[in-house]
Amino acid sequence: MASARRPGAYVCGTDAAMDVVGGKWKVLILWALNEHACRFGELRRLVPGITEKVLASHLRELELDGVVHREEYAELPPRVEYSLTPLGDSLNEALRPLGVWGRTHLLGDRAYPSADADRLIVLSVVREQGELTDHEWQLLAPLLPAPARAGGRWRDHRQVVDGVLLRTRTGIRWRDLPARFGPWRTVAARHRRWTADGTWAALPDALQTRLAAGVDARDEAVLRDLIGRLGEVARLAGSASSAA
């Protein structure tokens, strides 16, 4: 079935298929819809960093391409859900071998011994998009310890937190962290220090206190997402500390 929005001017089938999933976000949207239908707000939470405008645009394109279905329910308040069509399911299946290729040749099988194929799609086909936004960083930065020292070799806390969040999401080894997070030993050492001094455990509570004090709708959504992500970091850090 030809797409409703594409003229078919492609040199091969791969060219056409990659046009459907091209860009920073579409594979992540397909991944988010892989398990169940989602409302718009839930999709925004599952694809950290995407704006409402971009999400709406991509959903329209995926709908026109026949891989996403939009269901509008006659309720008050109105409810709209997005789900994969059979064509969308088949597209996710087609992406699985690409994820396996990325695991084998780019990430290394030994670094991800328990990762499932669906998650590898996200890791292998697109860059990680779960790093802190500027707004999230503004809310989080005042709660972090002051830098232990200054100097050209010191890496800022934001890089470290982004690296820890990536490791928490994926199970990646410290030594396999991408270079954009700085030296992996720096990230690992600061993670250990903040585990020992209780920083990770304190962050979700501090954010929850700010949320309870009352914030606008935008900050409420951001804070709830941060609490969830940092709560998982704290949980895993606490488990590792107890095991040690």
Side-chain angles (χ1 to χ4, degrees), residues 160-173:
V160 169
V161 174
D162 280 336
V164 171
L165 289 173
L166 172 62
R167 185 174 184 268
T168 301
R169 288 194 304 277
T170 66
I172 193 173
R173 297 181 303 179

Side-chain angles (χ1 to χ4, degrees), residues 25-161:
W25 304 107
K26 287 185 179 177
V27 171
L28 293 174
I29 293 170
L30 292 172
W31 157 249
L33 292 174
N34 193 60
E35 296 296 329
H36 57 79
C38 294
R39 300 177 70 170
F40 188 89
E42 183 180 6
L43 273 175
R44 276 207 68 190
R45 291 191 296 272
L46 292 173
V47 186
I50 195 170
T51 65
E52 289 188 9
K53 180 178 179 180
V54 171
L55 177 57
S57 172
H58 283 355
L59 285 171
R60 284 195 297 271
E61 291 178 2
L62 291 169
E63 185 180 359
L64 288 171
D65 284 330
V67 297
V68 167
H69 172 69
R70 182 180 185 274
E71 183 74 24
E72 187 170 352
Y73 295 88
E75 300 176 356
L76 289 177
R79 178 166 64 96
V80 176
E81 287 187 346
Y82 298 88
S83 60
L84 292 180
T85 65
L87 189 63
D89 285 328
S90 70
L91 178 57
N92 266 352
E93 288 298 320
L95 286 169
R96 288 176 187 268
L98 184 59
V100 173
W101 183 92
R103 176 183 186 180
T104 302
H105 299 289
L106 300 179
L107 303 178
D109 277 315
R110 288 177 298 176
Y112 298 88
S114 62
D116 58 88
D118 285 334
R119 185 170 65 180
L120 290 170
I121 292 172
V122 181
L123 294 174
S124 306
V125 181
V126 298
R127 276 174 62 104
E128 283 290 331
Q129 300 298 329
E131 297 166 22
L132 294 168
T133 66
D134 289 343
H135 185 58
E136 288 172 333
W137 178 242
Q138 289 172 2
L139 295 172
L140 182 60
L143 304 176
L144 296 172
R149 60 185 176 87
R153 295 179 61 83
W154 180 78
R155 296 286 176 167
D156 67 36
H157 284 338
R158 184 168 179 175
Q159 286 178 292
V160 169
V161 174

Side-chain angles (χ1 to χ4, degrees), residues 149 152-156 159-164 173-192:
R149 60 185 176 87
R153 295 179 61 83
W154 180 78
R155 296 286 176 167
D156 67 36
Q159 286 178 292
V160 169
V161 174
D162 280 336
V164 171
R173 297 181 303 179
W174 288 119
R175 66 178 63 252
D176 294 320
L177 281 175
R180 67 183 183 275
F181 301 116
W184 68 266
R185 288 184 176 85
T186 300
V187 182
R190 202 162 305 166
H191 177 266
R192 288 194 299 270

